[in-house]
Amino acid sequence: MEMEQKLPVGVLPLGTGNDLSRCLGWGGGYDGEDLAKVLKQVSEASLIHLDRWKVTISPLAREVAPGGAGDPMPLDIINNYFSIGVDASIARKFHNMRETCPQKFNSRTRNKMWYLEFGADEMFSASCKHLNENITLIVDGKVIDLSTYSLEGIAVLNIPSMYGGSNLWGTDDAKVTRRRGWTLSRGASVDDPVNPERVSRFQTQEISDMMMEIVGLENSLHVGSIKAGIRDHGQRLGQGREIVIETRRRFPMQVDGEPWLQVPCRLTIRHLNQAPMLHAPQRLQKRASGFIFRPRAATAVSTAV
């Protein structure tokens, strides 16, 4: 029997990063709060729609890539984000170690410490150095020039939170606009004071606009500096409805935190559908910085305790 309407989904943050939960106002972690109280909050939640994206991969070469074959892709649906390069390499090391020694990953704090250790290791090994020279990035049919960048990673974002609360795309507040010389407000543009010929072409990041944001990452230190608030955001490369990445050597990749090693391929990301989600009541919101919330009329949710 098919349902005429999809039921909205609420998120209880039981994981390590809990990025989607942060964006929907439910916070970065569940601290043992009484479940009856949680269900009461759910009954007061508002409805918002989350874009979902389909990933397809076509190998570019029949022969085995240097270094051996890759891994199978664990997920082909993006709810939160996709990335290739430095951060996916860290996630893959974390995943492999957890599979080998699960007893060492028994708390959120210990998990974060392992991420820090693998991030430091990646900073020195630079396993994805010159990534921009070994890929082609195409957004809505246009090839993005990466020759002026030095990148070890690229992230494709559906939500404004990654790595447990880092906003890689950045906010659209006045401080950022003045310092960077651009605005992210929809439909507006400001000249870059350093490069007068440059005009912003970006729009405000939202989770239901059928657009994804593409951000370049210089290295693992760059990722850490964004998380620490030292830098405002990553290298904004573009926004689009169809993203194509062609790789010319093996690279680690991840979808929503699930990593794998991918042989040379043509990877395509297209909009799939939208999922109804529950956004926390305004009084409870612990929102990810820069998230623009535009709820529809509140939807009653039946709960039982």
Side-chain angles (χ1 to χ4, degrees), residues 219-235:
N219 47 46
S220 61
L221 186 62
H222 182 197
V223 173
S225 65
I226 296 172
K227 187 171 181 61
I230 299 172
R231 298 183 66 169
D232 293 321
H233 50 74
Q235 298 281 1

Side-chain angles (χ1 to χ4, degrees), residues 174-214:
K175 182 179 178 182
V176 173
T177 300
R178 287 196 302 270
R179 285 208 335 238
R180 299 302 184 194
W182 54 52
T183 177
L184 297 182
S185 298
R186 187 174 297 279
S189 64
V190 174
D191 292 340
D192 186 324
V194 178
N195 301 297
E197 73 282 358
R198 180 177 181 178
V199 177
S200 172
R201 62 191 182 280
F202 299 131
Q203 300 176 350
T204 302
Q205 184 179 17
E206 298 183 31
I207 68 172
S208 56
D209 59 355
M210 293 184 283
M211 297 271 284
M212 296 195 89
E213 285 68 37
I214 303 96

Side-chain angles (χ1 to χ4, degrees), residues 6 49-52 208-210 271-276 296:
K6 295 180 180 179
H49 285 79
L50 174 73
D51 289 326
R52 303 176 73 237
S208 56
D209 59 355
M210 293 184 283
H271 191 263
L272 177 65
N273 55 28
Q274 290 186 328
R296 302 189 180 190

Side-chain angles (χ1 to χ4, degrees), residues 42-152:
V42 168
S43 70
E44 301 171 359
S46 300
L47 177 66
I48 188 170
H49 285 79
L50 174 73
D51 289 326
R52 303 176 73 237
W53 303 78
K54 176 73 172 179
V55 182
T56 57
I57 288 181
S58 303
L60 290 182
R62 293 184 179 179
E63 64 274 10
V64 176
D71 306 321
M73 181 171 61
L75 298 173
D76 63 355
I77 303 294
I78 301 173
N79 292 305
N80 301 337
Y81 43 74
F82 162 86
S83 69
I84 173 176
V86 56
D87 67 317
S89 177
I90 296 170
R92 187 166 178 267
K93 292 175 182 178
F94 178 92
H95 173 79
N96 289 341
M97 176 64 81
R98 185 168 57 180
E99 290 290 303
T100 304
C101 305
Q103 70 277 6
K104 296 182 179 180
F105 299 81
N106 55 9
S107 74
R108 189 178 298 137
T109 300
R110 292 190 70 178
N111 290 352
K112 291 181 178 180
M113 293 301 295
W114 278 109
Y115 266 112
L116 286 174
E117 179 175 332
F118 292 134
D121 177 70
E122 182 62 32
M123 181 174 63
F124 292 106
S125 64
S127 65
C128 300
K129 190 175 182 180
H130 304 310
L131 173 139
N132 54 292
E133 298 176 5
N134 289 280
I135 70 169
T136 300
L137 174 64
I138 307 169
V139 179
D140 290 343
K142 179 181 178 181
V143 176
I144 305 300
D145 183 10
L146 300 177
S147 62
T148 59
Y149 300 95
S150 178
L151 303 177
E152 292 186 18

